[in-house]
Coordinates of all heavy atoms in Angstrom, one line a residue:
N1 N 32.1 -152.1 47.8 CA 33.0 -151.1 47.2 C 32.7 -150.7 45.8 O 32.0 -151.4 45.1 CB 34.5 -151.6 47.3 CG 34.7 -152.9 46.6 OD1 35.0 -152.8 45.4 ND2 34.6 -154.0 47.3
L2 N 33.2 -149.6 45.4 CA 32.9 -149.0 44.1 C 33.5 -149.8 42.9 O 33.0 -149.7 41.8 CB 33.4 -147.6 44.0 CG 32.8 -146.6 45.0 CD1 33.4 -145.2 44.9 CD2 31.3 -146.5 44.9
K3 N 34.5 -150.6 43.2 CA 35.1 -151.4 42.1 C 34.5 -152.8 42.0 O 34.8 -153.5 41.0 CB 36.6 -151.6 42.4 CG 37.4 -150.3 42.5 CD 37.7 -149.7 41.1 CE 38.6 -148.5 41.2 NZ 38.9 -147.9 39.9
G4 N 33.7 -153.2 42.9 CA 33.1 -154.5 42.9 C 34.1 -155.6 43.1 O 33.9 -156.7 42.6
I5 N 35.1 -155.3 43.8 CA 36.2 -156.3 44.1 C 35.8 -157.1 45.4 O 35.6 -156.5 46.4 CB 37.6 -155.6 44.3 CG1 37.9 -154.9 43.0 CG2 38.6 -156.6 44.7 CD1 39.2 -154.0 43.2
A6 N 35.8 -158.4 45.3 CA 35.3 -159.2 46.4 C 36.4 -159.2 47.6 O 36.0 -159.4 48.7 CB 35.0 -160.6 46.0
S7 N 37.6 -159.2 47.2 CA 38.7 -159.3 48.2 C 39.2 -158.0 48.8 O 39.7 -157.2 48.0 CB 39.9 -160.1 47.6 OG 41.0 -160.0 48.4
A8 N 39.0 -157.8 50.1 CA 39.5 -156.6 50.7 C 41.0 -156.6 50.7 O 41.6 -155.5 50.6 CB 39.0 -156.5 52.2
T9 N 41.7 -157.7 50.7 CA 43.1 -157.8 50.6 C 43.6 -157.3 49.3 O 44.6 -156.5 49.2 CB 43.6 -159.2 50.8 OG1 43.1 -159.7 52.1 CG2 45.1 -159.3 50.8
Q10 N 42.9 -157.6 48.2 CA 43.2 -157.2 46.9 C 43.1 -155.6 46.8 O 43.9 -155.0 46.2 CB 42.4 -157.8 45.8 CG 42.7 -157.4 44.4 CD 44.2 -157.8 44.0 OE1 44.6 -158.9 44.2 NE2 44.9 -156.8 43.6
I11 N 42.0 -155.1 47.4 CA 41.8 -153.7 47.4 C 43.0 -153.0 48.1 O 43.5 -152.0 47.6 CB 40.5 -153.3 48.0 CG1 39.3 -153.8 47.2 CG2 40.4 -151.8 48.2 CD1 38.0 -153.6 47.8
A12 N 43.4 -153.5 49.3 CA 44.5 -152.9 50.0 C 45.8 -153.0 49.2 O 46.5 -152.0 49.2 CB 44.7 -153.7 51.3
E13 N 46.0 -154.0 48.5 CA 47.2 -154.1 47.7 C 47.1 -153.1 46.5 O 48.1 -152.4 46.2 CB 47.3 -155.5 47.1 CG 47.7 -156.6 48.1 CD 49.2 -156.5 48.4 OE1 49.9 -155.5 48.2 OE2 49.8 -157.6 48.8
D14 N 46.0 -153.0 45.9 CA 45.8 -152.0 44.8 C 46.1 -150.6 45.3 O 46.7 -149.8 44.7 CB 44.4 -152.1 44.2 CG 44.2 -153.3 43.4 OD1 45.1 -154.1 43.2 OD2 43.0 -153.6 43.0
I15 N 45.5 -150.3 46.5 CA 45.7 -148.9 47.1 C 47.1 -148.6 47.4 O 47.7 -147.6 47.1 CB 44.8 -148.7 48.3 CG1 43.3 -148.7 47.9 CG2 45.2 -147.5 49.1 CD1 42.3 -148.7 49.1
R16 N 47.8 -149.6 48.0 CA 49.2 -149.4 48.3 C 50.1 -149.2 47.0 O 51.0 -148.4 47.0 CB 49.8 -150.6 49.1 CG 49.2 -150.7 50.5 CD 49.7 -152.0 51.2 NE 51.1 -151.9 51.4 CZ 52.0 -152.7 50.9 NH1 51.6 -153.7 50.1 NH2 53.3 -152.6 51.1
A17 N 49.7 -150.0 46.0 CA 50.5 -149.8 44.7 C 50.2 -148.4 44.1 O 51.2 -147.8 43.6 CB 50.1 -150.9 43.8
R18 N 49.0 -148.0 44.2 CA 48.7 -146.7 43.6 C 49.4 -145.5 44.4 O 49.9 -144.6 43.8 CB 47.2 -146.4 43.6 CG 46.5 -147.2 42.4 CD 45.1 -146.8 42.3 NE 45.0 -145.4 42.0 CZ 43.8 -144.7 41.9 NH1 42.7 -145.4 42.1 NH2 43.7 -143.5 41.6
I19 N 49.4 -145.7 45.7 CA 50.0 -144.7 46.6 C 51.5 -144.6 46.2 O 52.1 -143.5 46.0 CB 49.9 -145.0 48.1 CG1 48.4 -144.7 48.5 CG2 50.8 -144.2 48.9 CD1 48.1 -145.2 49.9
R20 N 52.1 -145.7 46.0 CA 53.6 -145.8 45.7 C 53.8 -145.1 44.3 O 54.7 -144.3 44.1 CB 54.1 -147.2 45.6 CG 55.6 -147.3 45.3 CD 56.0 -148.7 45.1 NE 56.0 -149.5 46.3 CZ 57.0 -149.5 47.2 NH1 58.1 -148.8 46.9 NH2 56.9 -150.3 48.3
A21 N 52.9 -145.4 43.3 CA 53.1 -144.9 42.0 C 52.8 -143.4 41.9 O 53.5 -142.7 41.1 CB 52.2 -145.7 41.0
E22 N 51.8 -143.0 42.6 CA 51.3 -141.6 42.4 C 52.0 -140.6 43.4 O 52.0 -139.4 43.1 CB 49.8 -141.5 42.6 CG 49.1 -142.3 41.5 CD 47.6 -142.3 41.7 OE1 47.0 -141.3 42.2 OE2 46.9 -143.3 41.2
T23 N 52.6 -141.1 44.5 CA 53.2 -140.2 45.5 C 54.6 -140.5 45.8 O 55.3 -139.7 46.4 CB 52.4 -140.2 46.8 OG1 52.7 -141.4 47.5 CG2 50.9 -140.0 46.6
Q24 N 55.1 -141.7 45.3 CA 56.5 -142.1 45.6 C 56.7 -142.4 47.1 O 57.8 -142.3 47.6 CB 57.5 -141.2 45.0 CG 57.6 -141.1 43.5 CD 56.5 -140.3 42.9 OE1 56.3 -139.1 43.3 NE2 55.7 -140.9 42.0
L25 N 55.6 -142.7 47.8 CA 55.7 -143.0 49.2 C 55.1 -144.4 49.5 O 54.4 -144.9 48.6 CB 54.9 -141.9 50.0 CG 55.3 -140.5 49.9 CD1 54.3 -139.6 50.5 CD2 56.7 -140.3 50.5
T26 N 55.4 -144.9 50.6 CA 54.9 -146.2 51.0 C 53.9 -146.2 52.1 O 53.9 -145.3 52.9 CB 56.0 -147.2 51.4 OG1 56.6 -146.7 52.6 CG2 57.1 -147.3 50.3
A27 N 53.0 -147.1 52.1 CA 51.9 -147.2 53.1 C 51.9 -148.7 53.6 O 52.1 -149.6 52.8 CB 50.6 -146.8 52.5
S28 N 51.5 -148.8 54.8 CA 51.2 -150.2 55.4 C 49.7 -150.3 55.5 O 49.0 -149.3 55.7 CB 51.9 -150.4 56.7 OG 53.3 -150.4 56.5

């Protein structure tokens, strides 16, 4: 990945947090 993050779980958490912050919507 472009961030060099080893944990896919961490990436998923980061993406979910950004979606919430930038769109005010939730994702699973």
Side-chain angles (χ1 to χ4, degrees):
N1 61 84
L2 300 176
K3 300 283 190 180
I5 300 173
S7 168
T9 304
Q10 183 59 55
I11 293 174
E13 288 283 25
D14 289 354
I15 288 173
R16 291 179 63 243
R18 285 190 57 186
I19 289 173
R20 182 189 290 274
E22 296 177 29
T23 72
Q24 293 77 56
L25 300 171
T26 65
S28 294

